[in-house]
Amino acid sequence: FSIVHDRPIEPMALDMFIDLLRSAHGEKLLRMKAIVAVSDNPERPLVLHGVQNVFHTPERLSVWPDPADRRTRMVLITKGLSEAFVRDLFDAFTGKPRIDRPDAQALSDNPLVVPGMKF
């Protein structure tokens, strides 16, 4: 399956997504390839390659292969790791709002939140 994302991704969010996917579910991740728009330098995409727990050092391209399409694209081949789980994990790290799931903004803007409590 593939994941396509329209906005640049924060480097820390990308690192945490990949690290959790690799460390907790690596045996189920048969292959992953990605070209990613990272917010620290969206003009130069990051290329990722991984097999199970082993990921090559990410490389920055000098330009996008298709200047008209600068979306993040990930292709994953998995065994026993559902597409829905990986998408939910990705969405959680990239801050995509989900129906019936709290997000950081909703939690912090809640008028019933305990003063001083941070999420």
Side-chain angles (χ1 to χ4, degrees):
F1 61 91
S2 62
I3 295 174
V4 178
H5 188 70
D6 293 331
R7 294 182 328 266
I9 300 169
E10 292 293 326
M12 178 80 70
L14 179 64
D15 286 347
M16 289 188 300
F17 168 72
I18 296 297
D19 189 51
L20 183 60
L21 192 62
R22 181 183 52 81
S23 63
H25 305 285
E27 73 282 354
K28 299 175 185 176
L29 182 62
L30 303 181
R31 183 87 166 113
M32 179 184 164
K33 296 176 94 176
I35 185 166
V36 182
V38 186
S39 64
D40 66 344
N41 192 349
E43 300 300 316
R44 296 188 61 209
L46 193 65
V47 176
L48 306 173
H49 297 279
V51 176
Q52 293 188 317
N53 300 359
V54 179
F55 273 70
H56 295 276
T57 303
E59 290 189 40
R60 289 270 186 174
L61 298 180
S62 57
V63 295
W64 282 89
D66 179 355
D69 187 2
R70 296 180 177 206
R71 297 175 299 163
T72 290
R73 296 180 298 279
M74 297 181 177
V75 176
L76 299 100
I77 300 171
T78 64
K79 182 178 181 182
L81 187 60
S82 77
E83 178 178 348
F85 174 81
V86 176
R87 284 185 185 281
D88 285 348
L89 186 64
F90 181 79
D91 290 347
F93 282 109
T94 57
K96 181 178 180 182
R98 304 293 305 261
I99 295 174
D100 293 336
R101 301 224 175 128
D103 60 10
Q105 187 70 35
L107 292 170
S108 63
D109 287 349
N110 184 342
L112 301 176
V113 74
V114 176
M117 184 176 239
K118 299 285 184 195
F119 293 95

